[in-house]
Amino acid sequence: MAHITINQYLQQVYDAIDNHDGSFCAELLSFKHPHVANPRLQLASPEEKCQQLLEPPYDEMVAAHLRCTYAVSNHDFVEAYKFQTALPVMFSVTLDLRIFANSAEQQLQKKGKGQPGEMLEKAAEQLMSCFRVCASDNRAGIEDSKKWGMMFLSNQLFKIYFKINKLHLCKPLIRAIDSSNLKNDYSPAQKVTYKYYVGRKAMFDSDFKPAEEFLSYAFHHCHGSSQKNKRMILIYLLPVKMLLGHMPTHQLLRKYDLMQFADVTKSVSEGNLLLLNEALSKHETFFIRCGIFLILEKLKIITYRNLFKKVYLLLRTHQLPLDAFLVSLKMMQLDDVDIDEVQCILANLIYMGHIKGYISHQHQKLVVSKQNPFPPLSSVS
Amino acid sequence: YLMSGQASHPQANGNMGNFSSGDGQVHENPEWEKARQALASINKSQSSAKTAQAGQFQPAVTDSAAIQQQQQQQPQQYYPWYQQTQQHYPGYTYPYNYYYPVGPPPPVPGMEDQSTGYPSQSQPPPPATPQQPQSPTTSEKPPPPPPPPIPPPPNSQYPPPPSQNAYSANNSMQYPHGDPNQMQAYNHSQGRPNYGQGFQAQHTYQPSQNTSQQPGQYVPGLGRGEANKNKNQKQGQQLWHRMKQAPGTSSVKFNIHKRPYQVQCSSMSNQSFPPGEQPSGLNPTPSSPSSASAAPGGAQTRPQDWPQAMKEYVQRCFTACETEEDKDRTEKVLKEVLQDRLKDGSAYTIDWTHEPLPELKVKQSRWESVASQRSSDGSISRGGSAVVASPRGRGGAHRLGHYRNIFSQRSPSSSSSRSSSRSPSPSHGRNRDRSNQRHRRSDSGSQSDSSISSDLRPQLSRRSQRGGRGRGNDRDRGRGGGVRGRGRGGKANRGRRNMDDSNPAVGKKRKGGNAGLDFHDPNREAKKQSRAARFHKQLRSEPLVLSINSLDLPDGTQEGLSWEDCPIVGTCQDITKSYLRLTCAPDPSTVRPVHVLRKSLQAVKIHWKTHHDYTYACEQMKSIRQDLTVQGVRTDFTVEVYECHARIALEKGDHEEFNQCQTQLKALYKDNPSENIGEFTAYRLLYYIFTKNSGDLTTELVYLTPALRADVCVAHALALRAAWALGNYRRFFKLYKEAPRMASYLIDKFVERERKVALRAIAKTFRPDLPVQYVQSNLGFSCLDSCMAFLTGLGVTFYPCDPQKIDCKTSTAALAAS
């Protein structure tokens, strides 16, 4: 395979198309296939050959692919291409497209050229046009409808949109998939990917309950051997879970090499604000790069709650002087805190339902409910 | 004939001898080009015959031209002679030459030289039509025709009396020049063009032209000729590149040379022959012995012997053409057909008057392929397209590919080189249509596997055909291959297709014999169309060329011009200038250079401080920005301008301008670090808070360097962000009050929003009451009144007994509702 001539290669492609052998065809067009290393296929202008052997639109696709092998062999990633139809083929091509757009992007960035995200946006446009084609395929029967390509495409688009921070563009995709009657019948792999992104999106929108649902689904259905993917899911699932009061075990963190969360977990459950601040700043880069720093920051609220709960448990009364909370915060080395801020923090906790009670401004006391003043986190929000 | 030509030449030419060598190279293989020319000339003659006669051109003639003509007359004597000889070949001789390199061995460069004999005489001149005048026809008609855009008058074909040649020669030249592309096409189609040779030939040819001009005959034409020559060479080179791979074309290339002669004949013929006979021009009499010897095929194919009906048929074919392309194609087709017919003698038996015109559109590729491979198959059938079916192998397919490309490239040049006198006549058009239909029907009939004729049910049959090849629509696919069994596989089907387009009469079915790469499907076009229709998109009308030609793109060279690439320096000295959106390239006289812009900026700042006229300031700033952009100035001063404008816009709450400036500043800071970088980074952070864009916020955080974080403004913004994220209104508003520089302008944008959120929490938390004082201090109100206004605006209720105390319980409901 590695040494076939261009004609043999094209013949194979033709036969594959002929025999409806989509997966083989996709292989032939994928960059994971060994043929890409074949110098005989790395042509600068394969259009003519392809045109002779294949009919449109395949000639264009294959030509673009070969052109790409040529470009890649020259370490030149700034290429993009078009394509249409034939789902498996499209899948591999789009995947390559995205990867190349990525590489191209990096290359451009290194050279300081171009707007950030430009290449990716172009790629996204292409993908979007494919998505529309797929979504609007109403004629074909259900079993070979192009709609089967929707989820794959939307997953690819998610990847791009997340990369370029255009999360709002995900909405129409999600709506389209949700309204699709096929949404439960896609392949598990696609569904896992899809849920992963939808869950992330929900998390960024602060819809933590659905986020937990999607991400949990993704985590549980993710293939056991893809540790890397599971880890990626966990990176987002953990903060969500913690916000909802479920703390990960040490073993889990160790298993997936996510020990950055260890201190965070510990400090949150202990109400140790000091430790939390340390942990966050220590791994700030990691968290920021994962895009979860702002989420983890919200854990402070949980930490406040846990801290104040300790105060309550210590004082064993339902009427808690605000000064007591101030002292506890000062203990956490928050030196610039004043009584107003204590009231503010308490107000937020009460407002969010983490504390059942009220503040008497006149008496400067927090009056908590006699029953279950600190309801479990999972029941809140 | 080459030899003989040479021999004769010296005598005739006398002084011209020197040039002969140059010419000779070119002249070797007359076959195709000649035929083409002949055909073309017929065509022209027809169209122009009625209107234009030789006389028509006379007026334009100049004295000098006349003189030249006279000079030319000498050489002219020879023309007729070899015209005839050469004209033998057009159509038919070709095969012989091609296959049996008998006479003129396949053009070997060396040989070519020998052949030159003739050419030198003809010398004809430079190509372009316009030059016709110079080579006026015979002495009898001294006045050379002016450069008529119209090709030689109609009847030209006739190998006329010697005298006339000069004139026509010019005419003829125009072809070669104009059509280099065409030539290429030919070569291609023939499959093994020896490209290199062809190229050379062309090259050499031109030089010869030059030499020919020296004698002075063509003086006027010289400039033109040269120009043409250049063009030719260029084209020749193109050709070369393209054709490299296909050796063996050599035979074709030399044809160019000969054209001139032919044309000459034709031009002459106008006068001497009645229109009806025009076609005969195609087959000029081959009488000269030399020619006969050279071209073995000559005997069979003597033009004179052509049946009149056949000549008329040729004429008909051309008149049916509507476009230049059609004509080109027709030429090729006819060449093929006539050669075959003449060869096997059927030309004399066929009822030409009823012979269908060749079908052009659908089958062009087919023609090509046929042309490329001479069918050795004597049985010429008369069916459909009147083309002999020839076995086509892979080679054919390849060539086809070439052809597609060439063709599209060629068309422009050919159309330009040929003059336009042929106008399509409606009746002809109809004719052709009819014949097309006929062809199609017969073709479809031959497709034994699709029982329905494509004409009647094109959709259906097409689909069924497709089914076998995997291109079927969904239904077909679902059924696993549609009408045709899939077992046979694509190859068999493809083989079948070949059969289909070959003449039905031939009828031998080869299944899968030439499997593989052959794509001649008569219905292919139709299929494509239907497919295109299905997908609502235009078929590719041009050869596939990927739009991403740009391997060099990464350098950014192709990314479209940026202003840096073409800097201009302004000369305008005005301090102020109103802003106009540029719609065209900037004029330096309206652009201010940097030193003027500095003054402008100062002026704007002062004006702003004193008048606070934002409209004016904004316009001035924009025009300054524009001038900077246009001149590609990206310096500290640029940064200063943008910072200034950003601040002014911020102060006035002009989001749009502010964001534009921010975007620019972000890019500018990369190269021009400013002391204000922290300030504007902070603004950006704050703006993200305003838009609640946590994604961009995170991204921004990634790029914050420790140094930047230490910046007062950035630190403030970060602290504010943290407070905001946790709903810590106390801290948030404390920071709001401490906002450095112009940050508070930005915070103002979302301060109300945050107050509302905070107030909801407050109302829910405090019981039973809360002094307004607390709200005022915690939510950053500067005075009690503004706080009260805010509270009442939200429907907060107060205790009747003490209006300074908020009734939190009832207010909660109101706030939740708001």
Side-chain angles (χ1 to χ4, degrees), chain A residues 130-304:
Chain A
C130 287
F131 184 83
R132 278 189 215 104
V133 169
C134 289
S136 60
D137 182 17
N138 294 320
R139 283 176 297 173
I142 201 72
E143 63 279 357
D144 55 1
S145 166
K146 289 199 191 75
K147 288 191 173 182
W148 289 110
M150 285 170 68
M151 190 170 272
F152 178 87
L153 282 173
S154 59
N155 287 341
Q156 297 300 321
L157 283 167
F158 284 156
K159 286 179 196 179
I160 292 176
Y161 291 153
F162 273 82
K163 190 134 203 147
I164 59 178
N165 281 327
K166 295 264 164 73
L167 292 195
H168 59 279
L169 295 174
C170 297
K171 221 176 228 166
L173 298 176
I174 295 173
R175 212 181 302 131
I177 299 274
D178 274 346
S179 64
S180 159
N181 44 5
L182 300 174
K183 70 179 165 186
N184 293 320
D185 301 328
Y186 290 101
S187 77
Q190 287 185 25
K191 274 199 285 187
V192 165
T193 313
Y194 177 77
K195 299 267 185 190
Y196 166 70
Y197 282 108
V198 175
R200 276 181 68 182
K201 172 152 176 25
M203 183 187 81
F204 287 123
D205 293 342
S206 300
D207 297 330
F208 297 117
K209 278 270 169 63
E212 188 209 3
E213 193 184 307
F214 293 132
L215 290 170
S216 298
Y217 177 95
F219 185 73
H220 290 308
H221 290 80
C222 186
H223 198 275
S225 62
S226 355
Q227 290 292 100
K228 191 171 148 249
N229 284 347
K230 288 201 139 191
R231 180 174 185 268
M232 280 168 62
I233 297 169
L234 271 186
I235 287 175
Y236 301 97
L237 182 57
L238 288 179
V240 174
K241 282 274 191 188
M242 284 195 276
L243 277 175
L244 296 175
H246 305 288
M247 296 300 157
T249 64
H250 224 67
Q251 293 93 314
L252 182 75
L253 295 180
R254 210 176 300 123
K255 182 179 176 191
Y256 290 100
D257 186 27
L258 289 171
M259 293 310 286
Q260 294 94 331
F261 287 95
D263 278 350
V264 177
T265 309
K266 182 167 175 255
S267 58
V268 170
S269 51
E270 288 175 356
N272 189 341
L273 215 51
L274 185 60
L275 182 60
L276 178 63
N277 285 335
E278 276 174 11
L280 285 182
S281 58
K282 185 176 169 193
H283 301 291
E284 186 176 347
T285 324
F286 171 77
F287 293 139
I288 287 180
R289 291 211 174 270
C290 293
I292 54 173
F293 181 80
L294 299 182
I295 306 294
L296 291 177
E297 202 179 35
K298 290 191 198 286
L299 287 174
K300 277 188 185 175
I301 295 171
I302 311 297
T303 316
Y304 284 131

Side-chain angles (χ1 to χ4, degrees), chain A residues 14 18 48 51-53 55 59-60 67 70 76 165 284 288 297 336 338 341 343 348 359, chain B residues 398 404-405 469 471 490 494 517 519 540 544 548-549 551 699 721 727-728 730-731 765-767:
Chain A
Y14 186 93
D18 231 21
E48 216 173 72
Q51 237 178 344
Q52 294 159 18
L53 289 177
E55 297 191 20
D59 56 349
E60 195 176 353
R67 177 77 153 279
Y70 174 75
D76 184 355
N165 281 327
E284 186 176 347
I288 287 180
E297 202 179 35
D336 56 346
D338 58 13
E341 193 162 338
Q343 294 187 43
N348 275 314
I359 295 174
Chain B
H398 281 283
R404 271 212 288 191
N405 284 333
R469 309 184 41 238
R471 320 262 344 267
R494 263 176 279 147
L517 307 178
F519 270 95
R540 238 194 312 282
L544 168 61
I548 23 162
N549 298 325
L551 291 179
T699 316
R721 186 209 60 78
N728 193 331
R730 166 70 186 156
R731 193 171 284 261
T765 300
F766 291 93
R767 292 287 184 279

Side-chain angles (χ1 to χ4, degrees), chain B residues 402-476:
Chain B
H402 284 296
Y403 173 70
R404 271 212 288 191
N405 284 333
I406 290 169
F407 186 75
S408 73
Q409 287 183 357
R410 181 188 69 185
S411 54
S413 74
S414 72
S415 67
S416 66
S417 66
R418 293 202 171 179
S419 40
S420 52
S421 63
R422 316 158 192 159
S423 65
S425 79
S427 66
H428 288 304
R430 224 190 345 166
N431 234 347
R432 196 191 46 183
D433 282 349
R434 221 184 298 130
S435 70
N436 273 348
Q437 280 181 358
R438 204 161 114 205
H439 288 288
R440 229 179 284 133
R441 214 174 294 135
S442 65
D443 280 343
S444 68
S446 74
Q447 297 168 351
S448 57
D449 34 12
S450 72
S451 55
I452 309 155
S453 102
S454 59
D455 242 359
L456 297 175
R457 311 266 286 273
Q459 190 65 35
L460 242 183
S461 68
R462 237 179 279 131
R463 190 188 292 162
S464 66
Q465 290 171 357
R466 240 180 286 120
R469 309 184 41 238
R471 320 262 344 267
N473 61 14
D474 295 309
R475 203 181 307 161
D476 275 347

Side-chain angles (χ1 to χ4, degrees), chain B residues 293-313:
Chain B
S293 66
Q300 294 182 354
T301 52
R302 287 183 192 175
Q304 311 143 328
D305 299 339
W306 285 19
Q308 182 61 34
M310 180 169 147
K311 293 173 192 166
E312 281 166 359
Y313 171 71

Side-chain angles (χ1 to χ4, degrees), chain B residues 729-748:
Chain B
Y729 55 84
R730 166 70 186 156
R731 193 171 284 261
F732 180 89
F733 288 102
K734 218 158 87 183
L735 289 166
Y736 168 56
K737 292 205 155 181
E738 300 165 354
R741 306 219 188 173
M742 300 178 69
S744 53
Y745 281 108
L746 266 173
I747 304 174
D748 277 339

Side-chain angles (χ1 to χ4, degrees), chain B residues 148-167:
Chain B
I150 308 169
N155 300 334
S156 49
Q157 279 94 4
Y158 246 96
S163 52
Q164 303 154 352
N165 331 337
Y167 163 53

